[in-house]
Amino acid sequence: QVQPVESGGGSVHSGGSLRLSCVASGYTYSSYCMGWFRQAPGKEREGVASIDRDGSTSYADSVKGRFTISRDNAKNTLYLQMNSLKPEDTAMYYCAADRRCYSGDYYIKTADFAYWGQGTQVTVSS
């Protein structure tokens, strides 16, 4: 069973940093496209970043230059390094996986991932 599991969330002050991790289990991690999404209370789910099998990345405009998505296939782990955090980054962050692997910003725009984690909370205070 494909099951992404997130960790690394927490509470930080504005301008701080956090690194989220997502460990894969139940599938051949390196053959999947992966992504990070977030959802704040009362708001729609928002695509944050995605990465394909070869390491090509896409980002939402709201996080470009501040967030970095990366993957370590040897460790079956996806990362999201978040710097210069703002209060508006406060949300539940979800890791997602999909074997179809569409290119470009498809996943950022559609959230069309097949498998989702349970989420990890990120809270940024001003």
Side-chain angles (χ1 to χ4, degrees):
Q1 181 176 357
V2 178
Q3 182 59 61
V5 179
E6 308 94 335
S7 63
S11 297
V12 296
H13 291 295
S14 182
S17 298
L18 282 173
R19 188 177 79 159
L20 306 182
S21 299
C22 173
V23 177
S25 64
Y27 60 105
T28 306
Y29 172 77
S30 61
S31 65
Y32 280 66
C33 277
M34 304 292 295
W36 289 99
F37 288 76
R38 65 187 182 186
Q39 188 165 21
K43 294 188 177 181
E44 293 187 356
R45 182 174 52 189
E46 175 188 19
V48 174
S50 65
I51 186 167
D52 69 11
R53 300 183 185 103
D54 299 325
S56 295
T57 58
S58 294
Y59 294 93
D61 289 341
S62 59
V63 305
K64 282 181 181 177
R66 300 189 298 123
F67 290 11
T68 302
I69 188 172
S70 61
R71 64 191 301 164
D72 186 336
N73 290 339
K75 296 182 178 179
N76 285 3
T77 303
L78 177 74
Y79 302 101
L80 184 69
Q81 178 66 44
M82 304 185 295
N83 298 328
S84 301
L85 282 162
K86 305 175 182 180
E88 51 263 45
D89 294 317
T90 295
M92 185 71 78
Y93 282 71
Y94 298 91
C95 172
D98 192 68
R99 188 168 182 174
R100 295 169 296 171
C101 256
Y102 297 114
S103 61
D105 60 359
Y106 173 83
Y107 291 109
I108 297 292
K109 292 180 177 179
T110 67
D112 188 23
F113 279 95
Y115 305 102
W116 293 80
Q118 295 299 308
T120 185
Q121 178 67 37
V122 172
T123 302
V124 184
S125 58
S126 57

